[in-house]
Amino acid sequence: MNKKIQGLIIFLVGIISLVIFMMLGGVMGEFLFVSALIMTIGIIKIFAGIKETCDNEGRAYPFPVSKAYHTYPEIKDFDETSSLLTGFRNSVADYLKNPGMTENSSLQNYASQLQWHALYLQKKRLIKKNIVVDTSSKRCAYSNEKDPLLVSAKQGLNKLGCLKVRAFQDGRYNVKEIYEEINARRTYEKEGLKLFSKNSQEVCHYSLLSAKQTGDGLIVCPNCGSAQSRESLIDGCDYCGTKFLIEDMQNKIGCFAYRKDIETEQSKKELAIETLGGRLSLRFMLFFFCLGVSYSLYQNIDKGIGMALIGGIGAGLVVSLLGLLCGYLLMNFCAPVILVSSVFKSVNSSFKSEKDRETETKIAKKIQDRDPQFSLQSFYGSLQNKLSSVVYAENEVEMAAFANRGVASLLNDFKNVVDMDVDAMTLTDYKIDGQWQVAVADVSLDLVEVSNSTAGSKNEKYKVTLIRNAEAKTEAVCGPLTFRCSKCGSSHSLLYGRVCAYCGNEVELEEKDWVIKSVKKC
């Protein structure tokens, strides 16, 4: 039952209770108070239902719902970057909603190979569980101020702050770290039945990667020699099926997740506090209006229902002015308490702190002293892909693609996961331990699970340890990378893990790339 129907039922209960009290005669003030309160709750519930419908359909709130709830303006595309982000979000939505596996989808025009592969693994799990994800999203302006740590994508947006970009060079890549203020809703459906909905109303985080390209826009397959676009080769050569890594890219999204953001969260709370007086006053006015109408009806019912209603509405409008005053008086008392509470909650937010940012920058510099082409953002994108391989694995062989055999114990923990948001990811340690480089990252995952016809979400924090040969380094040239199986000689991509797809031979992946050694719950 939706909120509008619930509200209407509650409102009718309030009217029926008033009629019953009037029929009993000698109605006491508290009975009128109860009836008015029930009717007010019903009206507010109806407003909430209208708000929910407008949110789902992307429409503006009508009056007087617009006065009861704060709205945030939708920001349309305004430059190349904003258009790119919208195109990517729409491509992801289409990819996860359409049943079956889509070859050469539009997603390949926007995503890096690692990001595409992470979504490909999720798609496999969705198909197995017979789940589709219906996603709607729009860019909103929650913030009023420019984040001092980030450079605005367009000077004219400084006052809105809906899209913030931090640009820097990161080893082999030019990186744009983008925070887009977003209002998104994902609905998980099974055979047309809605199981669960998840709202994301803070930011969408992207890492936009660019590297020096090695050709004129085409890549020659190292196996059969056919020349194709980078985008069409993301899922392998269209002619011979050879899989290889493609790392030379221009403005490709290497990492993507809906996340919490301490600045956006605080901006929303401050703006909500600023408008709290009006919203409280509207609720008090509704209550006093219902109370005035109820009292006037009780006093004048002997003059006829028509005259009683006219007098009741007039009395309700006059008495509602008292509600306006009560709302603003209460606001002056509540605002300081709410502000202090919001600041305290923000301090405890899971968003990456400035201290964490400084720590990971120092660790990345330590790695780059040994491996000059190391890219932290590429490392995060690779780790997200590897975690996707672990989370969406169907058996021990798949889970071991980018992880040691010991991680297979998590297979049962993730068997029902159909969606994974990386809420936070921070590199916390790096060292040389004998023949291995060892890196440690703290990861916060928001997981959506489906079991039979029920679904829900949970947040889990993990400490992930990765290893790589002490002598391994990042390739200086971002060209297509392919390896040959030492046993059968077939082409083998590091993207698909350590096991040869043709003969089952295990590649010593740790000699070339980072491998997950352990995943432990914090």
Side-chain angles (χ1 to χ4, degrees), residues 385-427:
N385 177 59
K386 291 172 171 62
L387 286 172
S388 296
S389 296
V390 171
V391 169
Y392 298 126
E394 299 297 340
N395 50 59
E396 289 189 14
V397 174
E398 288 186 7
M399 182 167 279
F402 291 105
N404 287 345
R405 295 292 183 185
V407 179
S409 60
L410 295 171
L411 191 64
N412 193 58
D413 294 349
F414 297 131
K415 66 181 181 180
N416 292 320
V417 174
V418 296
D419 203 354
M420 178 188 85
D421 280 335
V422 180
D423 197 36
M425 187 182 292
T426 306
L427 184 62

Side-chain angles (χ1 to χ4, degrees), residues 21 49 94 135 176-177 182 192 237 275 350 391 452:
F21 294 151
D94 291 341
T135 306
K176 289 181 181 177
E177 188 177 20
I182 202 83
C237 176
T275 59
S350 64
V391 169
N452 297 323

Side-chain angles (χ1 to χ4, degrees), residues 237-447:
C237 176
D238 288 343
Y239 296 95
C240 70
T242 299
K243 314 288 186 182
F244 47 85
L245 283 176
I246 304 171
E247 294 189 311
D248 57 327
M249 61 189 84
Q250 189 68 28
N251 282 338
K252 298 299 182 183
I253 293 170
C255 203
F256 156 76
Y258 294 104
R259 290 185 179 174
K260 297 176 182 177
D261 174 57
I262 189 170
E263 283 83 13
T264 301
E265 179 186 2
Q266 189 63 16
S267 294
K268 289 175 66 177
K269 288 179 178 177
E270 290 173 356
L271 197 56
I273 291 170
E274 290 176 10
T275 59
L276 182 60
R279 290 182 285 119
L280 278 176
S281 296
L282 179 62
R283 285 160 172 77
F284 273 102
M285 288 175 70
L286 285 172
F287 170 72
F288 278 97
F289 177 79
C290 292
L291 186 61
V293 171
S294 300
Y295 182 76
S296 182
L297 280 172
Y298 172 67
Q299 290 292 329
N300 301 304
I301 192 66
D302 55 334
K303 297 179 181 179
I305 187 66
M307 292 299 297
L309 275 174
I310 293 172
I313 292 172
L317 291 173
V318 172
V319 177
S320 66
L321 296 176
L322 181 60
L324 180 66
L325 177 63
C326 289
Y328 276 102
L329 289 175
L330 185 61
M331 171 58 192
N332 290 330
F333 171 76
C334 290
V337 177
I338 296 172
L339 185 60
V340 171
S341 173
S342 67
V343 170
F344 176 77
K345 289 179 180 179
S346 293
V347 170
N348 288 279
S349 170
S350 64
F351 180 77
K352 186 180 296 184
S353 67
E354 184 60 24
K355 182 180 178 181
D356 289 339
R357 190 186 293 274
E358 291 176 358
T359 299
E360 68 180 6
T361 300
K362 290 179 181 177
I363 295 173
K365 180 62 170 61
K366 183 178 179 181
I367 300 175
Q368 287 169 348
D369 288 341
R370 185 181 186 88
D371 179 7
Q373 299 299 322
F374 174 81
S375 164
L376 182 60
Q377 296 304 315
S378 178
F379 175 83
Y380 282 155
S382 176
L383 176 54
Q384 184 169 332
N385 177 59
K386 291 172 171 62
L387 286 172
S388 296
S389 296
V390 171
V391 169
Y392 298 126
E394 299 297 340
N395 50 59
E396 289 189 14
V397 174
E398 288 186 7
M399 182 167 279
F402 291 105
N404 287 345
R405 295 292 183 185
V407 179
S409 60
L410 295 171
L411 191 64
N412 193 58
D413 294 349
F414 297 131
K415 66 181 181 180
N416 292 320
V417 174
V418 296
D419 203 354
M420 178 188 85
D421 280 335
V422 180
D423 197 36
M425 187 182 292
T426 306
L427 184 62
T428 59
D429 192 20
Y430 171 80
K431 62 182 179 181
I432 302 296
D433 185 9
Q435 72 178 100
W436 303 114
Q437 299 176 62
V438 181
V440 180
D442 288 342
V443 181
S444 176
L445 299 180
D446 213 37
L447 305 172

Side-chain angles (χ1 to χ4, degrees), residues 34-256:
V34 169
S35 296
L37 182 61
I38 294 173
M39 285 188 283
T40 303
I41 292 172
I43 293 172
I44 293 173
K45 195 77 171 178
I46 292 171
F47 283 5
I50 296 172
K51 172 186 178 296
E52 187 177 79
T53 300
C54 292
D55 286 341
N56 292 341
E57 297 177 358
R59 295 188 287 111
Y61 303 156
F63 180 86
V65 178
S66 58
K67 300 299 180 183
Y69 299 95
H70 184 76
T71 58
Y72 302 97
E74 180 180 358
I75 306 299
K76 300 294 185 180
D77 295 343
F78 53 85
D79 64 1
E80 184 178 347
T81 299
S82 59
S83 297
L84 174 68
L85 301 183
T86 300
F88 172 74
R89 282 190 279 104
N90 291 339
S91 294
V92 172
D94 291 341
Y95 185 69
L96 297 183
K97 183 177 181 179
N98 294 328
M101 198 64 72
T102 305
E103 294 294 331
N104 292 327
S105 68
S106 62
L107 180 63
Q108 297 176 203
N109 297 324
Y110 298 97
S112 70
Q113 195 176 26
L114 288 175
Q115 178 61 60
W116 169 84
H117 191 243
L119 290 165
Y120 166 80
L121 294 171
Q122 179 186 3
K123 181 75 173 182
K124 283 180 59 181
R125 174 63 59 84
L126 290 170
I127 291 173
K128 180 182 179 182
K129 294 287 186 180
N130 197 21
I131 300 292
V132 296
V133 184
D134 187 3
T135 306
S136 61
S137 63
K138 61 181 181 179
R139 183 184 305 113
C140 294
Y142 296 131
S143 302
N144 288 325
E145 295 181 354
K146 172 185 169 185
D147 184 340
L149 297 177
L150 304 176
V151 179
S152 176
K154 183 178 180 182
Q155 292 302 313
L157 275 186
N158 284 350
K159 292 182 179 179
L160 291 175
C162 66
L163 192 67
K164 308 181 184 76
V165 180
R166 189 169 68 96
F168 55 96
Q169 213 286 329
D170 180 31
R172 65 160 73 181
Y173 292 113
N174 292 318
V175 181
K176 289 181 181 177
E177 188 177 20
I178 303 174
Y179 294 85
E180 179 186 37
E181 294 182 346
I182 202 83
N183 186 345
R185 182 181 179 88
R186 285 169 285 177
T187 302
Y188 302 85
E189 302 176 358
K190 183 174 184 177
E191 298 176 348
L193 178 66
K194 294 182 179 180
L195 303 182
F196 178 69
S197 291
K198 183 177 182 181
N199 293 320
S200 302
Q201 296 179 324
E202 288 190 19
V203 299
C204 196
H205 172 255
Y206 311 83
S207 291
L208 202 61
L209 306 180
S210 296
K212 183 179 180 181
Q213 297 190 339
T214 57
D216 58 359
L218 296 177
I219 289 180
V220 176
C221 173
N223 186 52
C224 71
S226 63
Q228 300 165 65
S229 69
R230 290 170 174 81
E231 289 73 22
S232 65
L233 287 169
I234 277 181
D235 56 353
C237 176
D238 288 343
Y239 296 95
C240 70
T242 299
K243 314 288 186 182
F244 47 85
L245 283 176
I246 304 171
E247 294 189 311
D248 57 327
M249 61 189 84
Q250 189 68 28
N251 282 338
K252 298 299 182 183
I253 293 170
C255 203
F256 156 76

